[in-house]
Amino acid sequence: MGMLYIVPTPVGNLEDMTFRAIRVLKEADLILAEDTRTTSVLLKHFEIENKMLSHHKFNEHQTVAAVAARIKAGETVALVSDAGTPAISDPGFMLTRECVEQGIEVQCLPGATAFVPALVDSGLPNDRFCFEGFLPQKKGRQTKIKEIAEETRTTIIYESPYRIVKTLAQMEEIMGSERRVSVTREISKKFEETVRGTIAEVKAHFEANEPKGEFVMVVSGKEIKKKGEENDEK
């Protein structure tokens, strides 16, 4: 029986690729790619010539059984997404679950992911945090933001440049203007930028400066008032 490798790829700078990831991709019998055009650029850079197969959110329901069968027959398969670690707001969970259920060995390599550097350099508490990924675009969006407003842990959110100002405005309406946030864009790329401050301050920055790139938002948790503080305010 073969095995499934989950292989993180750089979110920006190609130098973030690990030696182990390159070796695994070179040795794999098959590479599953979210977008074969994007992955072909990466493979060409590292002189990797293995066979690729498309595996994305629109076809993964149909492909997982066939891929699992190939691994059971002895093939080593490596799964990559366009950037970062597969299955983190990217395809990968369904195949991983299928392999685990069938007793196939699965190994996820350590490597690049966008939310960890954004969290660490935010300056916000990171001993406890929760990851929300992308917010619902329409139905359930307000409800989710209200849930985050009550969360006492630091919350991490992925957002697009087209909705970042809208999201900050909705958060300001629900959480107030003084909640602390850190917004990082273009992680590990030439124009990487982190803007820290209150929701009002960060919103003003992106209203004045057109948002570009992929964004990670880190939102401070709701402060827990200590006993006696409620009475002090009355």
Side-chain angles (χ1 to χ4, degrees):
M1 185 184 296
M3 66 181 297
L4 172 67
Y5 283 102
I6 311 296
V7 183
T9 56
V11 296
N13 195 319
L14 289 176
E15 292 180 358
D16 294 337
M17 191 75 168
T18 68
F19 292 120
R20 186 183 176 201
I22 295 169
R23 177 182 60 79
V24 167
L25 292 180
K26 284 184 175 181
E27 294 177 354
D29 296 303
L30 176 67
I31 297 172
L32 299 179
E34 183 180 3
D35 187 326
T36 54
R37 295 166 299 180
T38 300
T39 300
S40 65
V41 175
L42 178 77
L43 300 187
K44 184 177 180 180
H45 180 83
F46 291 107
E47 300 179 346
I48 301 169
E49 299 179 352
N50 291 12
K51 182 168 33 172
M52 275 193 295
L53 185 69
S54 179
H55 180 85
H56 47 72
K57 65 180 180 180
F58 301 108
N59 73 357
E60 61 180 336
H61 289 84
Q62 291 78 37
T63 58
V64 291
V67 171
R70 292 179 67 162
I71 299 173
K72 282 199 130 181
E75 292 191 24
T76 296
V77 174
L79 172 67
V80 299
S81 58
D82 289 349
T85 300
I88 303 297
S89 293
D90 273 330
F93 164 70
M94 289 185 180
L95 179 60
T96 301
R97 179 178 61 185
E98 181 72 17
C99 288
V100 169
E101 290 177 350
Q102 292 198 33
I104 296 169
E105 185 177 356
V106 178
Q107 281 191 17
C108 181
L109 277 59
T113 188
F115 78 78
V116 173
L119 171 64
V120 173
D121 73 18
S122 70
L124 297 173
N126 56 29
D127 54 331
R128 297 172 66 246
F129 60 89
C130 58
F131 175 71
E132 287 290 345
F134 288 96
L135 296 175
Q137 291 189 27
K138 294 180 181 178
K139 187 178 180 181
R141 186 179 179 86
Q142 289 283 99
T143 301
K144 177 57 67 175
I145 293 176
K146 287 178 181 178
E147 289 177 5
I148 294 170
E150 296 301 314
E151 175 60 64
T152 57
R153 296 169 294 178
T154 299
T155 300
I156 303 160
I157 300 164
Y158 285 167
E159 193 53 277
S160 82
Y162 311 108
R163 290 189 294 272
I164 188 71
V165 173
K166 175 185 176 181
T167 300
L168 287 164
Q170 291 175 321
M171 286 183 173
E172 184 175 30
E173 182 180 336
I174 294 169
M175 302 179 188
S177 60
E178 296 302 308
R179 183 77 68 97
R180 305 292 297 183
V181 295
S182 175
V183 175
T184 302
R185 69 181 188 90
E186 295 292 83
I187 289 173
S188 194
K189 297 178 183 177
K190 183 178 180 180
F191 298 106
E192 179 174 344
E193 174 189 32
T194 298
V195 181
R196 308 173 184 87
T198 65
I199 291 177
E201 290 167 344
V202 175
K203 179 167 72 75
H205 172 84
F206 288 110
E207 286 173 335
N209 300 274
E210 182 184 359
K212 294 180 180 180
E214 297 301 317
F215 287 77
V216 183
M217 306 178 68
V218 184
V219 185
S220 62
K222 182 179 181 180
E223 289 189 16
I224 303 175
K225 292 184 178 180
K226 298 177 183 178
K227 289 183 177 180
E229 287 185 355
E230 295 89 344
N231 295 329
D232 292 341
E233 292 178 356
K234 291 179 181 178

